[in-house]
Structures are given as C-alpha cells and as structure tokens.
Amino acid sequence: MEGNVLVLGDHIDTDVIIPARYLTQSDEAFLAKYCFADLHPDFSEKVKPGDILVAGVNFGCGSSREHAPLAIKAAGVSCVIASSFARIFYRNSFNIGLPILESPEAAAAVRSGDRLSVDFEAGEIRNLTRNETYHAEPIPKFMLELVEAGGLVNYIREKKLGKDREGTAAR
C-alpha cells in the first residue's frame, strides 16, 4: 500500500474524527463528508484515495462508536499509523476493514506530504520522500483477513458462504 501523508496530533478523539452532530446516520458517503469537520473543515475535499493518516498517542480515544473508523475509511484513507491507539478504536478499525499500525518511530519522523509505502505483513513502513524505514508490529494474519474481506461482517459472510457451498457440493 502506498499513499501521501496527513499528520495529526496526539489524543485525537472520536468526536474530532466524526463530530457527534453527524451521527444521525451511518451512510458512508455522509460520514466521509464530515470526517474531521471541526479539525480540518476541508479534509473531505482534500483527502485522496489511498492517503495515509499519521498521528501521535491515543488516536481514537473517546466513545466507542464504529462511525469514527468508518468515516476515515469512507473518506478514502488507506490506513492509519499512530504511536498508539485507544483499544476500542483499534478493534473497531479492523471490524470495519481499516488497517492500522502502531509505530512511535514513524509517528515521530513522518511529515505531512511525505509519501509512504506500507507492508502490513512485515510491519515495515518506508518513507519514500525521506528514504527512511520505520518498524511496526506486523498485522496478524487473521486481522489481515478481516481487512481483505472489508471487515468482520463481510468476513463472516464469506466464511458462511464458503461453508454453505462446501455442504452443498458434498451432498
């Protein structure tokens, strides 16, 4: 995965990611339009498909709404890299198919506008702009399967359909 970077700060909470006043619906296009509406009012107009968010500590703190990672993913962001994530945001991200990596090293070094190449399986983040490499814990195989399926619901559907097909074929 490769994309351009937008750097955010520390303690970006879910109300900053998607303000509560926009939680009246869960339509992805609607949520994408208001992603970071108060912090970066023009975010939805400037973000390009594949862009990467890089943040500091405690990204996604606050309430446990799935709307936050969903808004980020729907806006076109390909992944989020941070020094650390709030645990519920971490889980919700994989549940909706948004890959995230913890890398204090990358969070400290990367600047807005840099271009990154990310290898989730190896946990390697290459800064193509600065010719630097940073490390993160690789994403476990099961979590990558969730991302590849587009989230937990799709993963379960695929597994169930596969089992249904196997059962039908065996009869």
Side-chain angles (χ1 to χ4, degrees):
M1 179 164 301
E2 197 173 300
N4 293 324
V5 171
L6 171 65
V7 173
L8 303 170
D10 294 332
H11 307 290
I12 301 295
D13 69 41
T14 54
D15 283 324
V16 169
I17 296 169
I18 184 72
R21 66 186 177 276
Y22 300 116
L23 299 178
T24 57
Q25 53 183 292
S26 57
D27 175 70
E28 291 181 18
F30 179 83
L31 293 173
K33 182 177 177 182
Y34 296 105
C35 188
F36 296 106
D38 294 338
L39 184 64
H40 292 287
D42 58 351
F43 178 81
S44 67
E45 296 158 11
K46 289 191 172 182
V47 69
K48 306 250 184 311
D51 281 354
I52 297 170
L53 296 181
V54 177
V57 297
N58 206 23
F59 187 85
C61 57
S63 62
S64 64
R65 61 181 73 129
E66 285 186 348
H67 291 78
L70 186 60
I72 292 170
K73 181 181 174 188
V77 172
S78 62
C79 75
V80 180
I81 299 167
S83 291
S84 64
F85 292 92
R87 291 296 98 193
I88 193 70
F89 182 88
Y90 184 91
R91 189 63 221 183
N92 282 340
S93 293
F94 286 101
N95 282 348
I96 62 95
L98 175 67
I100 61 177
L101 286 171
E102 288 187 346
S103 176
E105 181 184 15
V110 172
R111 301 291 174 252
S112 285
D114 286 356
R115 186 152 185 86
L116 300 182
S117 173
V118 181
D119 182 336
F120 298 118
E121 290 181 54
E124 184 176 277
I125 303 160
R126 290 185 312 132
N127 189 325
L128 304 175
T129 304
R130 299 174 186 280
N131 197 29
E132 298 173 345
T133 301
Y134 320 110
H135 303 283
E137 279 296 314
I139 296 177
K141 184 178 186 284
F142 172 70
M143 303 292 256
L144 280 175
E145 289 175 5
L146 291 179
V147 169
E148 289 166 5
L152 182 60
V153 171
N154 290 338
Y155 175 84
I156 291 170
R157 274 191 199 122
E158 288 176 9
K159 292 295 182 188
K160 181 166 177 19
L161 282 174
K163 285 183 182 176
D164 289 348
R165 286 187 190 126
E166 288 173 18
T168 304
R171 290 185 191 152

